[in-house]
Amino acid sequence: MEFTLWDLLQDTALLGLLMILGQFLRAKVKLFQSLLMPASLIGGFIGLALGPSGFNILPFSDQLSKYSGVLIAIVFACTPIGDDSFTKEDLKGVGGFFYQNTGILMLQYAAGMALALGVLNKFWDLHDSFGLVLATGFYGGHGTAAALGAMYKDMGYPEFLDLGNTSATVGLVGGIVVGMILINWGTRKKYTNFVDSPKELPDEIKRGVIPRDKQKSSGNLTISNMSLDSLVFHLSIALFAAYLGRVASKFIQSKIDWLSIPVFVLALAAGYLVQGFIKITNTQEYVDRATMQRISGSSTDLLVVSAVSSLNLGVIKSNLAPLTITFIFGFVLNILWFLWVSKYSSSKNWFERGILNFGRSNGVVATGVLLNRVVDPDQKSRGLEDTGLTDLLNRPIAIALQVLPPLFISFGGKYPLYTTLVMWAGFIVLTVIALVLKWWTPGKMQGNQHK
């Protein structure tokens, strides 16, 4: 059946309805409030039950699983546009947090591959890239799963999309649940500095709806509505940058048959080019960063609900045992990292900053911010600011770990083993640098006492 623009409207309307329903349930159901479950994820589970993988009640088109690939290009294109450059002053004291953030990123890739090649492949006949599922879903989230899923589809491993999205979903839900358990433990141990109990969380955070007296503006109008709606102006910039990424990807592949650069990577590059043009033309005042973040956030929500709704349960079922082992291993790894590293890599407020990084390494930045808000409602620990800086600093590493391992593994032979060894070598080098520069000084920090 031919896909039309009306099918696109139908799909997006259904996805929007699912998110609205998810928000309604978040506002009304105590369980979702206690778990701080994102509305897009609740809607995604409903879509999974009622969509093509479930009872097939919702009339989605056969293109549902492909939306995530487009949406992640928009997310990456928005990343640098309108952003301010960081200064040397901003970088002071960020080294320890950079190690927290980047270390667990590299460790998830290295340990995940080691687990798959060294243990899981002895019992199940798994693809050599199965070990990348852990970091793709846990640290990367649904966006990275979508990006790599599209990449692997061209490489003959289409199942990776569903495996990655499953990992991202489990990481997101588990990150919130385990994070809240850690927060309850931390408050009892008096490790938190700003709250006595997570029960102090404001009602608007629990229910997800903000009362009128606490509502804030989500961005600035930089273009007169008499000329052009400001939101359309910013959306046009984002879409154009994402489209440039798509054009560049197709052009490169048409010239070099064996080289396939994912669209999201080139969309990010296009975003930097657009940002460079904005600076050269001195038009920064007309590009509002908050509006670009709203576009990116909206695209991410649509990505999550579409990705979860389109999960292939057959692929999950056939890989259930190795997936379960991988996920348990991932949570244990992240918990130990939080307990052993966070305490020694922040000069103060280690718990508040560490729980943010824990959430970040189990899903997306929003998960970390959410957990951080529970123990630091007024954002006094500077965890959010330092997360933004470290994400900028480690983005080249993250992109390299997303793109290069699949390419090397696809060569077969001993390349999967070589790739794993390189990952471990990178993690060890980073740890040595952290020790030499005293980003992480074991024994220096003990638990902060509640004040």
Side-chain angles (χ1 to χ4, degrees):
M1 184 177 178
E2 182 183 1
F3 181 77
T4 68
L5 291 177
W6 290 112
D7 294 318
L8 175 63
L9 175 62
Q10 176 177 279
D11 286 346
T12 52
L14 290 173
L15 293 174
L17 180 62
L18 288 173
M19 288 190 290
I20 293 172
L21 182 57
Q23 178 54 57
F24 174 79
L25 293 174
R26 168 69 180 270
K28 297 296 183 181
V29 180
K30 294 293 184 181
L31 176 61
F32 293 144
Q33 293 172 19
S34 61
L35 293 177
L36 302 176
M37 189 74 70
S40 58
L41 194 59
I42 300 172
F45 285 135
I46 298 172
L48 180 62
L50 302 181
S53 295
F55 293 102
N56 202 22
I57 296 174
L58 297 177
F60 283 115
S61 73
D62 57 3
Q63 302 296 307
L64 179 62
S65 62
K66 298 180 180 179
Y67 290 133
S68 55
V70 177
L71 290 166
I72 191 56
I74 298 174
V75 172
F76 272 81
C78 289
T79 300
I81 299 175
D83 204 5
D84 294 327
S85 301
F86 52 82
T87 65
K88 291 183 179 180
E89 188 66 27
D90 293 328
L91 296 177
K92 287 184 178 179
V94 80
F97 206 67
F98 174 78
Y99 179 70
Q100 276 193 57
N101 195 317
T102 309
I104 191 60
L105 160 67
M106 300 177 72
L107 185 58
Q108 282 187 11
Y109 275 101
M113 283 296 295
L115 174 68
L117 294 179
V119 179
L120 300 182
N121 273 5
K122 307 298 182 184
F123 300 94
W124 295 279
D125 184 21
L126 302 173
H127 192 279
D128 286 337
S129 292
F130 184 88
L132 299 177
V133 167
L134 173 61
T136 295
F138 274 40
Y139 192 95
H142 289 89
T144 302
L148 286 190
M151 184 178 180
Y152 269 116
K153 184 177 181 180
D154 295 334
M155 297 168 60
Y157 187 26
E159 296 85 358
F160 192 90
L161 175 62
D162 291 299
L163 297 175
N165 278 326
T166 302
S167 177
T169 302
V170 171
L172 186 57
V173 175
I176 295 173
V177 173
V178 176
M180 291 302 294
I181 293 173
L182 289 171
I183 286 172
N184 278 281
W185 168 79
T187 54
R188 289 197 303 270
K189 298 285 286 185
K190 304 300 182 183
Y191 287 156
T192 55
N193 286 326
F194 308 113
V195 297
D196 290 308
S197 168
K199 294 180 180 179
E200 299 174 12
L201 198 64
D203 186 63
E204 62 268 20
I205 300 297
K206 294 179 181 178
R207 299 177 63 236
V209 288
I210 303 174
R212 182 178 294 274
D213 61 329
K214 294 184 178 181
Q215 293 174 5
K216 299 178 181 179
S217 173
S218 62
N220 295 320
L221 294 177
T222 62
I223 302 294
S224 171
N225 288 337
M226 298 298 292
S227 175
L228 179 68
D229 187 89
S230 186
L231 178 60
V232 172
F233 173 73
H234 288 82
L235 183 60
S236 299
I237 295 174
L239 293 175
F240 180 69
Y243 173 69
L244 285 179
R246 168 67 171 168
V247 171
S249 179
K250 292 183 68 175
F251 176 78
I252 292 172
Q253 193 163 27
S254 68
K255 299 298 181 182
I256 308 174
D257 293 337
W258 58 269
L259 182 59
S260 177
I261 301 179
V263 174
F264 77 95
V265 175
L266 295 174
L268 177 64
Y272 277 109
L273 287 176
V274 170
Q275 175 65 6
F277 178 79
I278 291 171
K279 286 189 173 183
I280 290 174
T281 56
N282 199 28
T283 54
Q284 299 98 311
E285 61 183 300
Y286 305 116
V287 180
D288 180 54
R289 178 59 183 166
T291 302
M292 297 305 300
Q293 289 176 321
R294 296 289 77 76
I295 294 172
S296 177
S298 299
S299 299
T300 301
D301 283 333
L302 281 167
L303 189 156
V304 170
V305 70
S306 63
V308 176
S309 296
S310 62
L311 282 175
N312 187 329
L313 297 180
V315 172
I316 299 171
K317 183 179 178 180
S318 61
N319 292 274
L320 186 59
L323 279 175
T324 302
I325 295 172
T326 299
F327 296 154
I328 294 174
F329 175 80
F331 282 121
V332 171
L333 189 72
N334 289 348
I335 292 171
L336 292 178
W337 186 264
F338 169 73
L339 295 176
W340 289 351
V341 176
S342 297
K343 187 177 292 187
Y344 305 117
S345 53
S346 290
S347 60
K348 58 182 180 178
N349 303 322
W350 76 265
F351 191 94
E352 289 81 1
R353 293 160 65 83
I355 202 67
L356 193 156
N357 187 65
F358 175 83
R360 169 75 184 89
S361 60
N362 281 283
V364 291
V365 174
T367 306
V369 172
L370 185 151
L371 294 175
N372 177 256
R373 284 289 302 275
V374 176
V375 293
D376 183 14
D378 296 321
Q379 300 291 293
K380 296 180 179 179
S381 64
R382 277 197 58 85
L384 185 58
E385 293 89 341
D386 286 352
T387 293
L389 283 174
T390 53
D391 267 16
L392 283 173
L393 293 170
N394 77 8
R395 189 169 296 142
I397 299 173
I399 295 294
L401 286 170
Q402 290 168 15
V403 176
L404 297 180
L407 291 176
F408 292 141
I409 292 171
S410 68
F411 295 151
K414 291 186 177 294
Y415 278 96
L417 175 61
Y418 296 155
T419 301
T420 305
L421 293 175
V422 169
M423 290 176 175
W424 276 107
F427 172 73
I428 293 171
V429 168
L430 178 66
T431 301
V432 171
I433 292 174
L435 290 171
V436 170
L437 297 181
K438 297 183 179 180
W439 289 346
W440 178 36
T441 52
K444 179 181 179 181
M445 280 296 301
Q446 300 299 321
N448 292 337
Q449 293 300 308
H450 178 73
K451 299 178 181 178

